[in-house]
Amino acid sequence: YNMGSIYLVLGKYADALSMSKRAVELAPGRKEAVTNYATSELLAGEVSNAETVLRALEKVKPNFPIAFALLAAISFIQGDNRCARQYFDKLGVMNFNVLPFILDTAKRLVAADRMDSALKFLDGAIQCGYTDREITILRNECDGKLVADRS
């Protein structure tokens, strides 16, 4: 699972997906492998694949914060702010600061050319009150870039 993680950090998302998928095949119960794979699928635009492996992980590792955070991101992208908020509320009880996760994940979505997903994620998070100055700036930059790309 380490190679998938390294590729994610380097922004090599296709390589991360390939290595993370292999890691999950070798160790399907390894939470780090599953979250790297789910992140890679999310960045590839395969939200349903990411959701499937995270829900399976949730059954065996019911209190794993990164899985909750990723499931919240998926829920926001799918337009289910209520479900996303429930995951973020669980994370709040666990003292997990969601703001850095939101910013990092949105930046990765932008870097992976998933601008629509990034905007849905940021809009959902902001509408539910999960925001700060950096998240608001990124959201506005995404909107500006999307408008410029459509012109």
Side-chain angles (χ1 to χ4, degrees), residues 30-99:
R30 184 106 189 189
K31 62 185 181 184
E32 296 87 356
V34 172
T35 54
N36 286 340
Y37 174 64
T39 300
S40 299
E41 287 284 16
L42 178 67
L43 297 174
E46 299 298 332
V47 177
S48 63
N49 291 350
E51 184 177 20
T52 298
V53 297
L54 289 167
R55 296 239 183 259
L57 178 64
E58 189 178 25
K59 291 177 183 171
V60 293
K61 305 278 186 193
N63 291 311
F64 188 49
I66 296 299
F68 286 165
L70 287 165
L71 284 164
I74 290 166
S75 296
F76 279 129
I77 290 167
Q78 293 173 331
D80 190 349
N81 289 5
R82 184 189 57 75
C83 182
R85 183 177 209 123
Q86 289 174 344
Y87 280 114
F88 275 179
D89 287 347
K90 287 180 186 180
L91 290 168
V93 171
M94 301 167 95
N95 293 319
F96 182 92
N97 183 357
V98 298
L99 298 181

Side-chain angles (χ1 to χ4, degrees), residues 103 107 110 115 119 122 133-149:
L103 187 63
K107 284 180 177 180
V110 169
M115 191 64 67
L119 279 168
L122 289 167
R133 184 176 181 275
E134 288 180 278
I135 290 169
T136 301
I137 289 170
L138 179 60
R139 197 275 173 228
N140 292 336
E141 288 173 355
C142 289
D143 195 40
K145 182 171 175 20
L146 195 60
V147 169
D149 287 349

